[in-house]
Amino acid sequence: MTANPPVVSPVRLRAEDRPGQPPVSPGLIEFYEGFEKALLVPLWTEVGALMPLSPQSKAQPHRWDWQTLLELAARAGELVPVGRGGERRAIALANPSLGGKPYASPTLWAAIQYLMPGEDAPEHRHTQNAFRFVVEGEGVWTVVERDPVPMRRGDFLPQAGWNWHAHHNGARQPMAWIDGLDIPFQYEVEAQFFTPGRDQLTEAEHATPDRSRSQRLWGHPGVAPVSQLGETAGSPLLCYRWADTDAALADQLALEKEGHPGVVEPGHALVRYTNPTNGEDVLPTIRAQFHRVAAGTETAPRRETGSSVYQVFDGSGRITVGEFSWSVTRGDLFVVPSWLPFSARSEASGSDSDSGALDLFQFSDAPIFTKLSLFRADSAERP
Amino acid sequence: MTANPPVVSPVRLRAEDRPGQPPVSPGLIEFYEGFEKALLVPLWTEVGALMPLSPQSKAQPHRWDWQTLLELAARAGELVPVGRGGERRAIALANPSLGGKPYASPTLWAAIQYLMPGEDAPEHRHTQNAFRFVVEGEGVWTVVERDPVPMRRGDFLPQAGWNWHAHHNGARQPMAWIDGLDIPFQYEVEAQFFTPGRDQLTEAEHATPDRSRSQRLWGHPGVAPVSQLGETAGSPLLCYRWADTDAALADQLALEKEGHPGVVEPGHALVRYTNPTNGEDVLPTIRAQFHRVAAGTETAPRRETGSSVYQVFDGSGRITVGEFSWSVTRGDLFVVPSWLPFSARSEASGSDSDSGALDLFQFSDAPIFTKLSLFRADSAERP
Amino acid sequence: MTANPPVVSPVRLRAEDRPGQPPVSPGLIEFYEGFEKALLVPLWTEVGALMPLSPQSKAQPHRWDWQTLLELAARAGELVPVGRGGERRAIALANPSLGGKPYASPTLWAAIQYLMPGEDAPEHRHTQNAFRFVVEGEGVWTVVERDPVPMRRGDFLPQAGWNWHAHHNGARQPMAWIDGLDIPFQYEVEAQFFTPGRDQLTEAEHATPDRSRSQRLWGHPGVAPVSQLGETAGSPLLCYRWADTDAALADQLALEKEGHPGVVEPGHALVRYTNPTNGEDVLPTIRAQFHRVAAGTETAPRRETGSSVYQVFDGSGRITVGEFSWSVTRGDLFVVPSWLPFSARSEASGSDSDSGALDLFQFSDAPIFTKLSLFRADSAERP
Amino acid sequence: MTANPPVVSPVRLRAEDRPGQPPVSPGLIEFYEGFEKALLVPLWTEVGALMPLSPQSKAQPHRWDWQTLLELAARAGELVPVGRGGERRAIALANPSLGGKPYASPTLWAAIQYLMPGEDAPEHRHTQNAFRFVVEGEGVWTVVERDPVPMRRGDFLPQAGWNWHAHHNGARQPMAWIDGLDIPFQYEVEAQFFTPGRDQLTEAEHATPDRSRSQRLWGHPGVAPVSQLGETAGSPLLCYRWADTDAALADQLALEKEGHPGVVEPGHALVRYTNPTNGEDVLPTIRAQFHRVAAGTETAPRRETGSSVYQVFDGSGRITVGEFSWSVTRGDLFVVPSWLPFSARSEASGSDSDSGALDLFQFSDAPIFTKLSLFRADSAERP
């Protein structure tokens, strides 16, 4: 046991001659040295940066090109084995203004994961909440609590913290998808636990069913299994299938055409993935939504506290985030930092098969804000 | 304004010589007359009946034969017009021990409703919570808040209090279904409001869409419309379709065969209809569930506080409720009073098309008990 | 086991020639006989009474005179022993329009209880939620879960269902107080369980502490015992003392004089007893409140769904409930049925010590309505 | 508008030869350079640090000496004016392992604030949740939403985000107290808004009442003002007075001596400040508690996710946090990082007036963890 050991104080204070600051004098400088020695920092030198009039994100808007990501992931498939220790062949977006850390935003992790034919990613569990979203391909099963869950284009697979999980690729080609997690958030607030699991899946877990057991229990709209009732922090439904999401979006736009409520604004269908046990967000710290911006539509700019990562699922368009603006196409990812206005415009690609709509998958840290009474948006009418 | 007007006291007390009672004497008799005059009743003469060791239902178990109901309803189709004042051609179950009142149980109303081809039942709204369940036929649309909702065999249509609603039969044949409401409960506690609406539906409301707008907004599993988010006391999903319920039940029995959790007990699949905005019961005062008892299975006896009404949806079987037991077949209705043990046994009918399973639709007053911390069941492991 | 036994049907229907009814004919009469035989009742003959435009209470307003009650209770002290079987020397208000049943309203029980010096009322527990309120005297302890809780003028003692409880009078004089319970409600919905306990209290339970253990754990404003945390359906605080209630009411009227918010309307202070574990009503089915109507003030008429019983705690005044109006003074009890307008006017009694305010204790069944989404009041701005 | 501007990538990756890593090769090095250029970071190089087996706090345990703090604050009283821009004469604890930032822990701010006689700290509001705790002195009023709230030794004053507030010292001597806020948390997740208010308080706000209006409305145990009902995210009670906290702690220890439940462990009384509108934590992101460790007692080591700051309110003792251990006395502050075991031992000071108990005020970020389903403690039996 030790008392406070000798510490080289990291505190550095500068007496500065500016409004709101005490007059600079030798006494003040000496006084500040006392603060440094005593491990103290005054509010009056820090208040502007620490307590801004509105959120000033440490992150910046940025777009990542899907093709580049995919190529690097494929190269990783050759160079990097998947196994215990490294745990996953996952490559994370690093926001350019967050010092090289693997953080898409101050709270969110977004990565491309890649699995070669026949490969398994080893089982583990962690308190970090996670999901998978599939922009292309199929053939991988995520095995959650020994329940193999198929992954196909458009599927969204939430996985609340502390569930055992592994992946296996049962197909003859590689498969890539994106993982979203609250790793940065849990790292910052220091909540995280991790346990490695079994190194091998059983034969039964290598099964490749068309529907998971979770799907069979919870995938029927409004019809819940009595044996499994009870509120859970994360969704017991482990796969939200593309067919359902697509139909929900199409229905909203069709209702709009018929003159009925449904869309959040003209030409903008929006659905939220929810936990069937409580109707709330699908994960304790992560909100997931899907946007369809009809051909020729631009959404109204909207600001929210908290950050989002988007992936273009289909179509092409132009994204504007604060002072940034990019053209995007299938697979591209981009990040929207806290309180920067975001809007999206669909752009027909010209191909015959193209509906002209822009389909965007979004995930954000909104539940952290809503549950702590910190959520704000500047278009208050939309939940 | 009047002060207490002269009242002929309805209080009648008898001094009786039994354990726990004061000794009978002229003084006691005179004393009890004072109670009668002052509109008072002692606890000590009433406690046994008023505060029994466990619920002693005023209702009794009873079964109603569907064919009898259907014939009387068809006859009503000839004799009784549908219109303002009578409001609905609905015929309610009257529990034989509830004094001839139209109460299936002390809290629940259950009726067969019947609509002739081309008929409309006029629009109204009321605080009573209601649902429709369809054991056979199709062709009627319930128009809830101007949204026409189709009704077909196996569909369950909840409709929370204070929604405007009407019905129209767009088919060439009559249609019957059952209505369940909390009329007795609201009558006893005196909560109820009622407002007549328009006498005619518009042409748009006479539309006969395959899916309601509610279905298009809320009928996608776990995928919620952001423009409509927010907890509501009753479900915004106005039709739970048979295909979904049937699949959920079949999945539970299949999972059981594969050795996985799902059924509530061997051979007994059970689902609950839930409100997608909060995962709770589909109506504020009414729970609705669907049972499938596999061929050759008998469920374990179970008691609950509160009462239920069941309708046989398919198959044949034997029902036991306390000291009562009946054979039942498609369409038959029966009531299970508070705290009487209930069990069901499936009986194959011998027809080729028969799976041998017994399908039972159930509704109960359980939310009244759960929300007021009064719910009990003697098989505690099932929610 | 028996099938439906032969039943003498209690159903009696009359074909009547009035608006909204089918034309009377021999066929209709025969048809109605079929209903009687089949234990069925049509909606169209009942809808007006069963589903009125607004609640039409089966109860009527009524006032009971405290002196009469007290005299009868004192006489009961001579004639009626307290013990197992009769359980309590309690005398209940019987609403004159509820058929002589011991119901103050369709949901509420209100009784005067009376204990002679040295007497014990035996231990029992029941699912019925209960409270005691003391309009005069002291010297009795209610022993809840073996914790002796003192009872003194102005104290309110809630006691959620299924707690063991007994009473003992440790004073040299008799003591009376009122009991409020949800006996009628639980009788109607059939939720109730009852278990007799020990016939004798221990010496330790005959202790007469100034504060209960519950008080010492939970009686400090906003300061909760960590070892006891967790939401409970009823309040863990077993006594709300008069000094606190009185101060809260006085503070509201003083704030009003200083121009600050606090009262619910001019001259009308109102507090609600709440459960410190969740801030909600103090009992799952019973709301308890205390009103202070300043000298010379009349409250605005207010209607609510559900019924209330009031007791005058201090002062004199005039009460108006629908078409009824009474002068009331200390101890008088009266009932306000569902949806009848209630108002109270204070009347100075002329004595020197009189502040002129009218102090009213109220309890109601409001939580039944709020939790089931059935609560309405016509002055919506007040919670 | 700009597309992704040229970025100097901050990503730096090193190919290393260690278990769980891919074999180092020229190809791997080149491959990692591709990551750097594309703003990507692999999981496999980071997983151990980012996703540890259990929380490894960035903060370290540290103790700050109250006398040093007080002297520096007094010196600030001479050198540093209070006014708009600097906002407050507050001096924050800077955890020695957090890089010189004014963070006591990764989520919590703790500061000493100091006000000279007659001074006002200007009005502002911010989304950061805050409280004041007074270890000595009196004479300052915090004016929250224009309600002057007195501050005295032992008082705890929570103040939820977005309330206007100012302070004024109405005494003839300076006064110091501690402020706790969630500034680091809101800075990291980027939720924060700030608005300056009026520069001057009115005469009415300079009033020095003995009780705040908040106290008069909400300071009566379990007795809530009906006009103010409704759940609020932060407590409407703006001052939890020492007399109540002290009595609650004394009661727990007295109950323990009598053989009754109350303490969390032998000799260890513990209370939590709660929001009377919902029974939950007093602020959306901050838990506040008060410990009394009886003379001669050592508490069992306990670990929790999340961090705490403690201040010694009275007595002397020895604190152990992980590998650190300090003697502490009145006013000393110390920080307990996430998942380090904490225990406290009381040490009699030898003075006659000393009860020998160690009184500790504690605040933590626990609500962030409980609301996001991330809370864990290794002594699970205590809430």
Side-chain angles (χ1 to χ4, degrees):
Chain A
M1 294 291 170
T2 50
N4 277 355
V7 164
V8 178
S9 175
V11 179
R12 291 291 169 271
L13 299 174
R14 265 181 46 158
E16 289 182 302
D17 208 3
R18 55 182 170 90
Q21 297 303 308
V24 178
S25 69
L28 187 75
I29 291 167
E30 184 190 347
F31 175 57
Y32 280 8
E33 288 169 357
F35 281 177
E36 292 178 355
K37 191 171 154 204
L39 291 161
L40 299 170
V41 176
L43 176 63
W44 60 84
T45 61
E46 313 294 316
V47 64
L50 266 185
M51 303 179 80
L53 298 187
S54 63
Q56 305 297 323
S57 186
K58 297 173 285 298
Q60 70 176 64
H62 194 77
R63 178 201 57 186
W64 286 260
D65 177 70
W66 180 242
Q67 286 311 316
T68 306
L69 270 171
L70 208 53
E71 284 158 24
L72 285 164
R75 181 87 173 111
E78 299 159 13
L79 289 173
V80 181
V82 171
R84 186 64 67 212
E87 300 293 318
R88 296 288 182 266
R89 190 187 289 116
I91 307 165
L93 310 185
N95 193 291
S97 64
L98 293 177
K101 283 188 284 190
Y103 291 9
S105 81
T107 56
L108 298 174
W109 163 282
I112 183 171
Q113 192 176 153
Y114 198 83
L115 217 50
M116 301 292 279
E119 275 187 340
D120 282 9
E123 192 183 56
H124 58 215
R125 66 175 175 179
H126 42 69
T127 53
Q128 287 89 352
N129 296 289
F131 70 83
R132 334 267 156 226
F133 178 72
V134 183
V135 77
E136 59 185 39
E138 60 185 288
V140 165
W141 276 255
T142 287
V143 183
V144 181
E145 299 283 327
R146 309 200 172 191
D147 179 13
V149 188
M151 298 170 59
R152 300 189 192 92
R153 173 162 159 81
D155 290 350
F156 167 73
L157 293 91
Q159 181 195 291
W162 217 235
N163 280 292
W164 291 110
H165 59 283
H167 313 292
H168 71 87
N169 186 345
R172 300 196 178 175
Q173 59 287 331
M175 183 173 162
W177 65 90
I178 65 161
D179 290 337
L181 291 98
D182 58 5
I183 292 173
F185 175 72
Q186 292 208 25
Y187 183 83
E188 293 304 324
V189 301
E190 308 182 335
Q192 70 277 63
F193 292 82
F194 181 98
T195 314
R198 298 164 303 152
D199 287 332
Q200 302 293 332
L201 296 176
T202 64
E203 198 169 325
E205 290 158 4
H206 273 120
T208 54
D210 187 57
R211 294 188 302 151
S212 65
R213 300 197 299 268
S214 139
Q215 181 80 31
R216 293 155 80 190
L217 289 170
W218 285 101
H220 310 286
V223 185
V226 172
S227 68
Q228 313 294 311
L229 285 177
E231 188 175 350
T232 54
S235 178
L237 178 56
L238 300 176
C239 184
Y240 292 68
R241 296 193 298 182
W242 173 241
D244 297 316
T245 304
D246 186 37
L249 294 164
D251 276 343
Q252 285 190 13
L253 291 173
L255 283 163
E256 183 191 21
K257 279 194 184 142
E258 299 166 26
H260 296 300
V263 294
V264 289
E265 60 182 328
H268 183 183
L270 179 54
V271 294
R272 183 173 299 168
Y273 297 105
T274 56
N275 175 347
T277 71
N278 60 12
E280 297 184 5
D281 279 300
V282 78
L283 290 169
T285 55
I286 294 177
R287 172 167 295 172
Q289 302 193 132
F290 208 105
H291 302 251
R292 177 164 292 168
V293 183
T297 299
E298 177 154 20
T299 67
R302 175 176 163 96
R303 294 190 293 187
E304 289 184 5
T305 47
S307 52
S308 287
V309 175
Y310 288 78
Q311 185 172 32
V312 179
F313 182 70
D314 215 349
S316 298
R318 183 127 198 113
I319 303 298
T320 305
V321 181
E323 300 297 309
F324 287 71
S325 182
W326 321 282
S327 287
V328 292
T329 190
R330 184 187 284 194
D332 290 352
L333 290 136
F334 56 89
V335 60
V336 179
S338 188
W339 209 242
L340 286 185
F342 160 80
S343 66
R345 189 171 83 228
S346 58
E347 283 174 0
S349 70
S351 86
D352 283 356
S353 65
D354 190 347
S355 73
L358 178 63
D359 274 8
L360 296 171
F361 170 78
Q362 175 195 9
F363 71 102
S364 79
D365 54 7
I368 296 171
F369 294 80
T370 57
K371 289 183 190 156
L372 302 175
S373 302
L374 294 170
F375 187 77
R376 286 200 196 186
D378 62 358
S379 51
E381 69 285 358
R382 190 202 307 170
Chain B
M1 296 292 171
T2 49
N4 277 354
V7 164
V8 179
S9 173
V11 178
R12 291 292 169 273
L13 298 174
R14 264 180 48 156
E16 289 183 302
D17 208 4
R18 55 182 170 90
Q21 298 303 309
V24 179
S25 69
L28 187 75
I29 291 166
E30 185 190 345
F31 175 57
Y32 279 7
E33 287 168 359
F35 281 176
E36 292 179 356
K37 194 172 155 204
L39 291 161
L40 298 171
V41 175
L43 176 64
W44 60 85
T45 63
E46 313 295 316
V47 63
L50 265 185
M51 302 178 80
L53 299 188
S54 65
Q56 304 296 322
S57 185
K58 299 173 285 296
Q60 70 176 66
H62 195 76
R63 178 202 58 186
W64 286 261
D65 177 70
W66 180 241
Q67 285 312 315
T68 305
L69 270 171
L70 207 54
E71 284 159 23
L72 285 163
R75 182 87 174 111
E78 299 160 13
L79 289 173
V80 182
V82 171
R84 186 63 67 213
E87 300 292 320
R88 294 291 182 266
R89 191 187 289 116
I91 307 164
L93 310 185
N95 192 292
S97 65
L98 293 177
K101 284 188 284 193
Y103 291 8
S105 81
T107 55
L108 298 174
W109 164 280
I112 182 171
Q113 190 175 154
Y114 198 83
L115 217 51
M116 301 291 280
E119 277 187 340
D120 280 10
E123 191 184 56
H124 57 215
R125 66 174 174 178
H126 42 68
T127 52
Q128 286 90 351
N129 296 290
F131 71 84
R132 334 271 156 223
F133 179 73
V134 183
V135 75
E136 61 187 38
E138 59 184 287
V140 166
W141 275 255
T142 287
V143 183
V144 182
E145 299 283 328
R146 309 201 172 190
D147 179 13
V149 187
M151 298 170 59
R152 301 189 192 91
R153 173 163 161 80
D155 290 350
F156 168 74
L157 292 90
Q159 182 196 285
W162 218 235
N163 280 293
W164 291 110
H165 58 283
H167 312 292
H168 72 88
N169 185 345
R172 301 196 175 174
Q173 57 286 332
M175 184 173 161
W177 65 89
I178 65 161
D179 289 338
L181 291 98
D182 57 7
I183 292 174
F185 176 71
Q186 293 208 26
Y187 182 83
E188 294 304 324
V189 302
E190 306 182 336
Q192 71 276 66
F193 292 82
F194 181 99
T195 314
R198 299 163 303 150
D199 286 334
Q200 301 293 334
L201 296 177
T202 65
E203 199 170 324
E205 291 159 2
H206 274 120
T208 53
D210 186 56
R211 294 188 303 151
S212 64
R213 301 199 297 269
S214 137
Q215 180 81 30
R216 291 156 79 190
L217 288 169
W218 285 101
H220 310 286
V223 185
V226 171
S227 68
Q228 313 293 311
L229 285 178
E231 188 174 349
T232 55
S235 177
L237 178 57
L238 299 175
C239 185
Y240 291 68
R241 295 193 300 183
W242 173 241
D244 297 316
T245 306
D246 186 37
L249 293 164
D251 276 343
Q252 284 189 13
L253 291 172
L255 283 164
E256 182 191 20
K257 278 193 185 144
E258 298 166 28
H260 296 301
V263 295
V264 289
E265 59 182 327
H268 183 185
L270 179 55
V271 293
R272 184 173 298 169
Y273 297 105
T274 56
N275 175 347
T277 71
N278 60 13
E280 297 185 3
D281 279 300
V282 78
L283 290 169
T285 56
I286 294 178
R287 171 167 296 171
Q289 302 192 133
F290 208 106
H291 302 252
R292 178 164 289 169
V293 182
T297 299
E298 177 154 19
T299 67
R302 175 176 162 96
R303 295 190 294 188
E304 290 184 5
T305 47
S307 52
S308 287
V309 175
Y310 288 78
Q311 185 172 34
V312 180
F313 181 70
D314 215 349
S316 298
R318 183 127 199 116
I319 303 299
T320 303
V321 182
E323 300 298 307
F324 288 71
S325 181
W326 320 284
S327 287
V328 292
T329 188
R330 185 189 283 195
D332 290 352
L333 290 137
F334 55 88
V335 59
V336 179
S338 187
W339 208 242
L340 286 183
F342 160 79
S343 65
R345 190 171 80 228
S346 58
E347 282 173 0
S349 71
S351 87
D352 282 355
S353 65
D354 189 346
S355 73
L358 177 63
D359 274 8
L360 296 171
F361 170 77
Q362 174 195 11
F363 72 101
S364 79
D365 54 6
I368 297 171
F369 294 80
T370 56
K371 288 182 191 157
L372 301 175
S373 302
L374 294 170
F375 187 77
R376 284 201 198 185
D378 62 357
S379 50
E381 68 285 357
R382 190 200 310 171
Chain C
M1 295 293 171
T2 50
N4 277 354
V7 164
V8 179
S9 172
V11 179
R12 291 292 168 270
L13 298 175
R14 265 181 48 156
E16 289 183 304
D17 209 2
R18 56 180 170 89
Q21 298 302 308
V24 177
S25 70
L28 188 74
I29 291 167
E30 185 190 345
F31 175 57
Y32 279 6
E33 288 169 358
F35 281 176
E36 293 178 355
K37 193 172 153 202
L39 291 161
L40 298 171
V41 175
L43 176 63
W44 59 83
T45 62
E46 313 294 317
V47 63
L50 266 186
M51 302 179 78
L53 299 188
S54 63
Q56 305 296 322
S57 186
K58 298 172 286 294
Q60 70 176 63
H62 193 77
R63 178 202 56 189
W64 287 260
D65 177 71
W66 179 243
Q67 286 313 315
T68 306
L69 270 172
L70 207 53
E71 285 159 23
L72 284 164
R75 182 87 174 107
E78 299 160 13
L79 289 172
V80 181
V82 170
R84 187 62 68 210
E87 299 293 320
R88 295 291 182 266
R89 191 187 288 116
I91 307 164
L93 310 185
N95 192 290
S97 64
L98 292 177
K101 283 187 286 192
Y103 292 8
S105 82
T107 55
L108 298 174
W109 164 282
I112 183 172
Q113 191 176 152
Y114 197 83
L115 217 49
M116 301 292 280
E119 275 186 341
D120 281 9
E123 192 183 55
H124 57 215
R125 67 175 174 178
H126 42 68
T127 53
Q128 287 89 351
N129 296 290
F131 72 83
R132 335 267 154 226
F133 178 72
V134 183
V135 76
E136 59 186 39
E138 59 184 286
V140 166
W141 275 255
T142 287
V143 183
V144 181
E145 298 284 329
R146 310 201 171 191
D147 178 14
V149 187
M151 298 169 59
R152 301 189 191 90
R153 174 163 160 79
D155 290 348
F156 167 73
L157 293 90
Q159 181 196 289
W162 218 236
N163 280 294
W164 291 111
H165 59 283
H167 312 291
H168 71 88
N169 186 344
R172 299 194 178 179
Q173 59 287 331
M175 182 173 163
W177 65 90
I178 65 162
D179 289 337
L181 291 97
D182 58 5
I183 292 174
F185 176 73
Q186 291 209 27
Y187 183 83
E188 294 305 324
V189 301
E190 307 182 335
Q192 71 277 67
F193 292 82
F194 180 98
T195 314
R198 299 164 302 151
D199 287 332
Q200 302 292 333
L201 295 177
T202 64
E203 200 169 323
E205 290 158 5
H206 274 122
T208 54
D210 187 55
R211 294 188 304 151
S212 64
R213 301 196 298 268
S214 139
Q215 181 79 31
R216 292 155 79 190
L217 288 170
W218 285 101
H220 311 285
V223 185
V226 171
S227 68
Q228 313 294 310
L229 285 177
E231 188 174 349
T232 56
S235 177
L237 177 57
L238 299 175
C239 185
Y240 292 68
R241 297 194 295 183
W242 173 241
D244 298 316
T245 305
D246 186 37
L249 293 163
D251 276 342
Q252 285 190 14
L253 292 172
L255 283 164
E256 182 190 21
K257 277 193 186 146
E258 298 165 28
H260 295 301
V263 294
V264 289
E265 59 182 328
H268 183 183
L270 178 54
V271 293
R272 182 173 298 168
Y273 297 105
T274 57
N275 175 346
T277 71
N278 59 13
E280 297 184 4
D281 280 300
V282 78
L283 290 169
T285 56
I286 294 177
R287 173 168 294 171
Q289 302 193 133
F290 207 106
H291 302 251
R292 177 164 291 168
V293 183
T297 297
E298 177 153 21
T299 66
R302 176 176 161 95
R303 295 190 294 187
E304 288 184 5
T305 46
S307 52
S308 286
V309 174
Y310 288 79
Q311 185 171 33
V312 179
F313 182 70
D314 215 350
S316 299
R318 183 127 199 112
I319 302 300
T320 303
V321 182
E323 300 298 308
F324 287 71
S325 182
W326 320 283
S327 287
V328 292
T329 190
R330 184 189 284 196
D332 290 352
L333 290 136
F334 55 90
V335 59
V336 179
S338 186
W339 208 241
L340 286 183
F342 160 80
S343 67
R345 190 173 79 226
S346 59
E347 282 174 0
S349 70
S351 86
D352 282 355
S353 66
D354 191 346
S355 73
L358 177 62
D359 274 7
L360 295 172
F361 170 78
Q362 174 195 11
F363 72 101
S364 79
D365 54 6
I368 296 171
F369 294 80
T370 56
K371 287 181 191 158
L372 301 175
S373 303
L374 294 169
F375 187 77
R376 284 202 198 184
D378 62 359
S379 49
E381 68 285 358
R382 190 202 307 172
Chain D
M1 294 294 170
T2 50
N4 277 355
V7 164
V8 178
S9 173
V11 178
R12 290 292 169 271
L13 298 175
R14 265 180 47 157
E16 290 182 301
D17 208 4
R18 54 180 170 91
Q21 298 303 308
V24 178
S25 69
L28 187 76
I29 291 167
E30 184 189 345
F31 175 58
Y32 280 7
E33 287 168 359
F35 282 177
E36 291 178 357
K37 193 171 155 202
L39 291 160
L40 299 171
V41 175
L43 175 63
W44 60 83
T45 62
E46 313 294 315
V47 62
L50 265 185
M51 304 180 78
L53 299 188
S54 64
Q56 304 296 322
S57 186
K58 297 173 285 298
Q60 70 175 64
H62 194 77
R63 178 201 58 188
W64 287 260
D65 177 69
W66 180 242
Q67 286 311 317
T68 306
L69 270 171
L70 207 55
E71 283 158 24
L72 285 164
R75 182 86 174 110
E78 298 159 14
L79 289 174
V80 182
V82 171
R84 187 63 67 211
E87 300 293 318
R88 296 289 183 267
R89 190 187 289 116
I91 306 163
L93 310 186
N95 193 290
S97 63
L98 293 177
K101 285 189 283 192
Y103 291 10
S105 81
T107 56
L108 299 173
W109 164 282
I112 184 172
Q113 192 176 154
Y114 197 84
L115 218 49
M116 301 292 281
E119 276 187 339
D120 281 8
E123 192 182 53
H124 57 215
R125 67 174 172 178
H126 42 68
T127 52
Q128 287 88 352
N129 295 290
F131 71 83
R132 334 267 157 227
F133 178 73
V134 183
V135 75
E136 61 186 37
E138 59 184 289
V140 167
W141 274 255
T142 287
V143 183
V144 181
E145 298 284 328
R146 308 199 173 193
D147 179 13
V149 188
M151 297 169 60
R152 300 188 193 93
R153 173 163 160 80
D155 291 349
F156 168 73
L157 293 90
Q159 181 196 290
W162 218 234
N163 280 292
W164 291 111
H165 58 282
H167 312 290
H168 71 88
N169 186 346
R172 300 194 176 178
Q173 59 287 332
M175 182 172 162
W177 64 89
I178 66 162
D179 289 338
L181 293 98
D182 57 6
I183 292 174
F185 176 72
Q186 292 208 27
Y187 182 83
E188 293 304 325
V189 300
E190 307 182 339
Q192 71 275 66
F193 292 82
F194 180 99
T195 314
R198 301 164 301 152
D199 286 333
Q200 301 293 334
L201 296 176
T202 65
E203 198 168 326
E205 290 158 4
H206 274 122
T208 54
D210 187 55
R211 294 187 304 150
S212 64
R213 302 198 296 270
S214 139
Q215 180 80 31
R216 291 155 79 190
L217 289 169
W218 285 101
H220 310 285
V223 185
V226 171
S227 68
Q228 312 296 311
L229 284 178
E231 187 174 350
T232 54
S235 178
L237 178 56
L238 300 175
C239 185
Y240 292 69
R241 297 195 295 185
W242 173 242
D244 297 316
T245 305
D246 185 37
L249 294 164
D251 275 344
Q252 284 190 14
L253 291 173
L255 282 165
E256 183 191 20
K257 278 195 186 144
E258 299 167 27
H260 296 300
V263 293
V264 288
E265 59 182 328
H268 182 184
L270 178 55
V271 293
R272 183 173 298 168
Y273 297 105
T274 58
N275 175 346
T277 73
N278 60 13
E280 297 183 4
D281 279 299
V282 79
L283 290 169
T285 55
I286 294 177
R287 171 167 296 170
Q289 303 194 130
F290 208 107
H291 302 251
R292 178 164 290 168
V293 182
T297 298
E298 176 153 22
T299 67
R302 176 176 162 94
R303 295 189 295 185
E304 288 184 5
T305 46
S307 52
S308 287
V309 174
Y310 289 78
Q311 186 173 32
V312 179
F313 182 70
D314 215 350
S316 299
R318 183 126 198 113
I319 302 299
T320 304
V321 182
E323 300 298 308
F324 288 71
S325 181
W326 320 283
S327 286
V328 291
T329 189
R330 186 188 282 197
D332 290 351
L333 290 136
F334 56 89
V335 60
V336 179
S338 187
W339 208 242
L340 286 184
F342 161 80
S343 66
R345 190 173 79 227
S346 58
E347 281 174 3
S349 71
S351 87
D352 281 356
S353 66
D354 189 346
S355 72
L358 176 63
D359 275 7
L360 296 172
F361 170 78
Q362 174 196 10
F363 72 103
S364 79
D365 54 6
I368 297 171
F369 294 80
T370 57
K371 289 181 190 159
L372 301 175
S373 303
L374 294 170
F375 187 76
R376 284 201 197 183
D378 62 357
S379 50
E381 68 284 359
R382 192 202 305 171

